[in-house]
């Protein structure tokens, strides 16, 4: 399969399995899909901002599940249709990867080329924060568009984000590959890339490698190195 069409078929991570029918009846507009995702997920690093207690976190909170398993968890917590927004305490707890993966799956269900992108966002802190987004092919414009389904009203207000989550400016997100090249060319400071106070070129390198695993297996974390970063930054938000 050539060109952008290679990003239409499901992978093991994006295949919704028995939930395909529930996804198919959802709206087609990207912004509407993002709102639906925000109504079924809550980010593990921001739960206190939604009035929740950190004691609710379990082993799946920071584990990137295949979308079929994530939707199982969503419906186990609240069996109503996906387009009905849940209260924060009834949402599935995940990370930015789960938001990006869910939008990617929803778009592929509509045969829209979509992919998750690993890199660094400029709208969470003063530096470039470790983050995942979704990118889809806009056939009418003939270009890839960046989306960040994690950006809800709370984050927009807290971080003073002015752009829409369905249209993230290119200058606000740098893919891991771009970050690596900028650092290697001495055009960017490696210390400005990372998660919380854990930064550096080694972190950028991990994010370069992560996408190689993302569509092929459940291994979004790349084992002990990413586990080390997660342990050191627990409590830092993105």
């Amino acid at each position: 399969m050539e060109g952008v069409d290679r990003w239409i078929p499901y992978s093991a991570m994006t295949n919704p399995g028995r939930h395909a029918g529930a996804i198919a009846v959802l709206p087609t507009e990207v912004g509407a899909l993002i709102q639906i995702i925000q109504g079924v997920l809550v980010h593990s690093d921001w739960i206190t901002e939604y009035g929740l207690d950190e004691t609710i976190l379990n082993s799946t909170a920071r584990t990137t599940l295949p979308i079929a398993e994530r939707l199982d968890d969503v419906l186990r917590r609240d069996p109503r249709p996906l387009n009905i927004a849940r209260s924060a305490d009834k949402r599935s707890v995940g990370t930015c990867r789960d938001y990006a993966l869910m939008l990617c799956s929803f778009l592929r269900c509509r045969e829209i080329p979509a992919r998750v992108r690993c890199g660094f966002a400029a709208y969470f802190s003063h530096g470039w924060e470790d983050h995942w987004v979704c990118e889809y092919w806009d056939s009418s414009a003939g270009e890839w568009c960046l989306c960040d389904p994690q950006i809800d009203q709370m984050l927009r207000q807290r971080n003073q984000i002015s752009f829409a989550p369905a249209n993230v400016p290119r200058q606000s997100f740098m893919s891991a590959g771009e970050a690596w090249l900028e650092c290697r060319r001495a055009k960017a400071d490696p210390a400005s890339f990372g998660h919380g106070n854990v930064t550096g070129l080694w972190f950028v390198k991990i994010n370069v490698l992560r996408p190689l695993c993302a569509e092929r297996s459940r291994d979004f974390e790349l084992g002990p190195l990413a586990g080390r970063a997660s342990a050191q930054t627990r409590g830092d938000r993105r």
Side-chain angles (χ1 to χ4, degrees):
M1 187 173 294
E2 299 296 329
V4 299
D5 287 348
R6 68 184 288 248
W7 300 105
I8 295 176
Y10 294 129
S11 66
M13 293 296 293
T14 57
N15 191 332
R18 68 183 184 89
H19 303 292
I23 296 172
V25 300
L26 298 177
T28 58
E29 198 267 321
V30 176
L33 292 176
I34 287 175
Q35 287 186 323
I36 289 170
I37 292 168
Q38 292 171 353
V40 299
L41 296 180
V42 62
H43 197 292
S44 61
D45 286 350
W46 296 93
I47 58 172
T48 57
E49 299 287 342
Y50 296 95
L52 303 180
D53 194 308
E54 291 183 354
T55 58
I56 71 168
L57 296 177
N58 57 31
S59 60
T60 65
R62 297 201 64 83
T63 301
T64 306
L65 300 175
I67 198 64
E69 293 182 30
R70 181 60 66 185
L71 289 174
D72 283 343
D73 187 59
V74 167
L75 294 173
R76 187 162 45 245
R77 295 166 183 267
D78 188 326
R80 293 179 297 170
L82 297 175
N83 64 334
I84 298 178
R86 280 79 165 149
S87 58
D89 62 313
K90 296 294 185 181
R91 300 176 195 170
S92 182
V93 184
T95 69
C96 57
R97 298 183 296 273
D98 296 288
Y99 284 84
L101 190 67
M102 188 171 289
L103 181 58
C104 182
S105 177
F106 285 8
L107 291 170
R108 288 182 180 182
C109 185
R110 286 152 179 74
E111 298 192 346
I112 297 173
R115 58 195 183 188
V116 293
R117 299 301 305 273
C118 178
F120 301 90
Y123 41 88
F124 289 107
S125 65
H126 295 299
W128 291 92
E129 191 77 6
D130 171 41
H131 196 47
W132 288 74
V133 297
C134 179
E135 195 174 43
Y136 76 95
W137 181 254
D138 183 341
S139 57
S140 61
E143 62 183 14
W144 288 98
C145 294
L146 283 176
C147 299
D148 187 350
Q150 184 187 324
I151 301 177
D152 60 7
Q153 189 60 29
M154 184 279 292
L155 275 177
R156 285 172 63 89
Q157 292 179 347
R158 187 186 185 283
N159 290 9
Q160 298 182 330
I161 298 172
S162 59
F163 54 82
N167 189 20
V168 177
R170 288 287 167 179
Q171 64 268 26
S172 297
F173 181 84
M174 192 182 304
S175 72
E178 293 170 324
W180 174 263
L181 291 175
E182 290 294 289
C183 291
R184 296 292 290 178
R185 292 167 178 166
K187 294 182 178 180
D189 181 4
S192 65
F193 296 89
H195 183 33
N197 60 0
V198 180
T199 64
L201 192 61
W202 70 273
F203 201 116
V204 177
K205 184 178 181 179
I206 287 178
N207 275 11
V208 171
L209 296 175
R210 277 175 167 175
L212 301 178
C213 302
E215 286 289 300
R216 293 173 174 80
S217 71
R218 295 177 60 154
D219 187 13
F220 270 70
E221 299 297 342
L222 285 183
L225 279 180
R228 169 185 156 199
S230 296
Q232 289 179 316
T233 59
R234 190 168 292 119
D236 291 322
R237 296 170 172 179
R238 58 174 169 172

